[in-house]
Amino acid sequence: MAKLGIGVVGVGEMGKRHAENLRRLVPEARLVAIADVAPGRAQQMAAELEIEKYFSNIEEMLACKEIDAVLIAVPDKFHARVVEAAAAAGKDILCEKPLATNRADAQKALNAVANAGVRLQVGFMRRYDPAYAAAMKRIDAGEIGDPVLFKSLGRDRDVPPLSAYQSNINGMLFYTNTIHDFDLARWLMHDEVVEVQTYATVAIRPELAQYGDEGAGVVNLKFAHGAIGSVDSYAQAIYAYDVRTEIVGSKGSIFIGIIDKTPVAFLSAAGGSSVLEDHFLSRFADAYLAEVRDFVHNMLHDRPPRVTGEDGMRALEIAIAAEESHVQGGVRAVA
Ligand SMILES: NC(=O)c1ccc[n+]([C@@H]2O[C@H](COP(=O)([O-])OP(=O)(O)OC[C@H]3O[C@@H](n4cnc5c(N)ncnc54)[C@H](O)[C@@H]3O)[C@@H](O)[C@H]2O)c1
């Protein structure tokens, strides 16, 4: 059976899961090598996954002829330059979100991909989650009629250590977290976000202000064809990893996430009246696996990726406008 040779760049929390999936659960893939700049990290992962090749230098890994495609899971700020390097080496690419943390880098990455004639998928794995996929099917079947309201919330449970902000290598709240909801907004509504208005706060963690980041944010959305919506994001919801989305249409509503008949729910770190997920790796386990399976299958059979570089750029543009609205105030057009 033909297999797609894959190299994974960056095997921290997310890259490790992707590498494990590719090694053990994707029959059409052959995990050829792992690269990570942290001393010993690639070697340790290679030993755990029983593969021979590991590198601390990406260029060396990209020179491997058996590698057809590269999965990129380095911190956000390095995505674009690794995409460029992988494209120049002629590899197809699955890059974690966000595509980049600014428009210029994202455009350079897209140009490199186009010039090299390779394919790029961006890691919006929620599109592969069984619940979101089922919702999409119903929307496409016209079951809720014309979508008019989009509401989504994304709350991470773990309080990121201040070092995560100090290192300045990850995107800020809207770029690294809310970007998933911005992608869902475009995808589920079959529409583009044209305007945003943001309120964001560091009220519960004032130290974040010195890094220019936010602890929580609400972004109102206006879509091109008349629909409206909002996204709320929170970086330290200690009670759970809480992700929910609702799309309301002219004939009904679809709700993804917890919903029950309890009129009031109390949720805290010590427990709550609902059982919720505690981490993205468990909540979206199926989605991460389906995402890499689909990418591998499409690359192997010469098909376009399901989530494109253009999707990565559009979501990034919403994040940039949301950030601008927070900093400068007022309504911002999405460029
Ligand atoms: N899709 C999702 O739900 C999801 C969830 C978590 C993280 N992510 C994304 O995955 C990426 C990685 O996040 P993480 O939480 O695993 O981070 P992490 O810090 O745990 O891991 C990053 C790894 O990349 C390595 N690295 C850094 N620079 C490198 C370089 N230039 N070349 C090679 N390796 C390099 C680091 O040594 C580290 O091992 C981020 O872009 C993040 O936004 C996505």
Side-chain angles (χ1 to χ4, degrees), residues 9-15 35-38 41 58 73-76 78-79 82 96-98 123 125 176 180 280 288:
V9 187
V11 277
E13 188 170 38
M14 194 65 251
D36 198 298
V37 290
R41 179 87 187 122
I58 303 174
V74 296
D76 300 355
F78 307 132
H79 287 181
V82 183
E96 264 304 340
K97 44 48 62 173
M125 83 300 167
T176 199
H180 281 297
F280 51 84
Y288 294 122

Side-chain angles (χ1 to χ4, degrees), residues 1-334:
M1 172 182 162
K3 288 187 185 248
L4 189 81
I6 294 228
V8 174
V9 187
V11 277
E13 188 170 38
M14 194 65 251
K16 178 174 188 286
R17 170 61 64 90
H18 287 311
E20 287 167 348
N21 280 342
L22 286 164
R23 174 76 175 101
R24 303 192 174 118
L25 299 170
V26 186
E28 287 187 307
R30 184 165 84 84
L31 181 62
V32 174
I34 279 166
D36 198 298
V37 290
R41 179 87 187 122
Q43 182 175 13
Q44 181 202 331
M45 266 315 293
E48 262 178 50
L49 294 174
E50 299 176 280
I51 61 166
E52 283 171 18
K53 291 196 165 82
Y54 56 87
F55 300 92
S56 55
N57 177 309
I58 303 174
E59 300 296 337
E60 283 175 23
M61 189 185 94
L62 292 175
C64 283
K65 296 237 173 334
E66 312 112 278
I67 294 180
D68 305 301
V70 171
L71 189 154
I72 299 169
V74 296
D76 300 355
K77 290 218 166 157
F78 307 132
H79 287 181
R81 76 174 76 143
V82 183
V83 168
E84 285 181 64
K91 315 294 184 191
D92 290 319
I93 301 158
L94 172 52
C95 179
E96 264 304 340
K97 44 48 62 173
L99 174 57
T101 51
N102 62 67
R103 195 180 283 109
D105 284 356
Q107 194 55 60
K108 274 202 263 174
L110 293 189
N111 292 347
V113 165
N115 292 338
V118 297
R119 288 163 292 179
L120 166 66
Q121 174 157 340
V122 174
F124 292 128
M125 83 300 167
R126 286 190 195 171
R127 296 190 186 200
Y128 290 94
D129 174 66
Y132 279 101
M136 187 56 158
K137 262 195 180 156
R138 284 176 175 265
I139 293 169
D140 280 345
E143 291 185 37
I144 62 162
D146 298 325
V148 67
L149 263 173
F150 172 86
K151 285 175 73 71
S152 198
L153 69 85
R155 300 179 189 159
D156 255 329
R157 192 192 64 157
D158 302 323
V159 180
L162 275 188
S163 58
Y165 296 93
Q166 280 157 349
S167 65
N168 196 32
I169 54 173
N170 298 300
M172 294 186 291
L173 184 69
F174 296 139
Y175 296 81
T176 199
N177 297 33
T178 323
I179 197 123
H180 281 297
D181 303 276
F182 294 148
D183 178 63
L184 287 179
R186 299 182 57 245
W187 182 60
L188 290 165
M189 300 294 279
H190 286 299
D191 204 350
E192 295 296 341
V193 174
V194 290
E195 250 176 47
V196 298
Q197 183 187 33
T198 303
Y199 283 104
T201 182
V202 292
I204 49 140
R205 210 176 180 196
E207 336 54 297
L208 295 189
Q210 65 192 296
Y211 307 111
D213 213 332
E214 302 94 28
V218 174
V219 183
N220 289 322
L221 311 171
K222 184 175 159 191
F223 293 85
H225 296 108
I228 53 173
S230 67
V231 177
D232 101 44
S233 313
Y234 187 25
Q236 53 184 91
I238 55 170
Y239 65 88
Y241 175 74
D242 192 3
V243 170
R244 293 175 251 158
T245 304
E246 184 181 16
I247 306 99
V248 186
S250 52
K251 291 189 196 161
S253 160
I254 294 188
F255 193 104
I256 302 118
I258 55 161
I259 187 164
D260 55 34
K261 290 183 178 167
T262 312
V264 60
F266 170 71
L267 305 167
S268 76
S273 48
S274 288
V275 179
L276 296 179
E277 290 286 353
D278 64 354
H279 201 275
F280 51 84
L281 289 177
S282 49
R283 167 64 185 85
F284 287 112
D286 292 341
Y288 294 122
L289 178 57
E291 175 184 50
V292 289
R293 277 190 176 152
D294 185 59
F295 172 75
V296 166
H297 186 77
N298 288 334
M299 295 307 104
L300 205 52
H301 298 279
D302 244 343
R303 295 188 187 145
R306 181 134 41 123
V307 189
T308 65
E310 205 54 39
D311 290 321
M313 181 61 120
R314 293 284 90 81
L316 175 64
E317 286 173 343
I318 303 171
I320 291 169
E323 187 72 24
E324 285 174 355
S325 169
H326 163 54
V327 174
Q328 297 165 21
V331 172
R332 303 291 302 185
V334 176

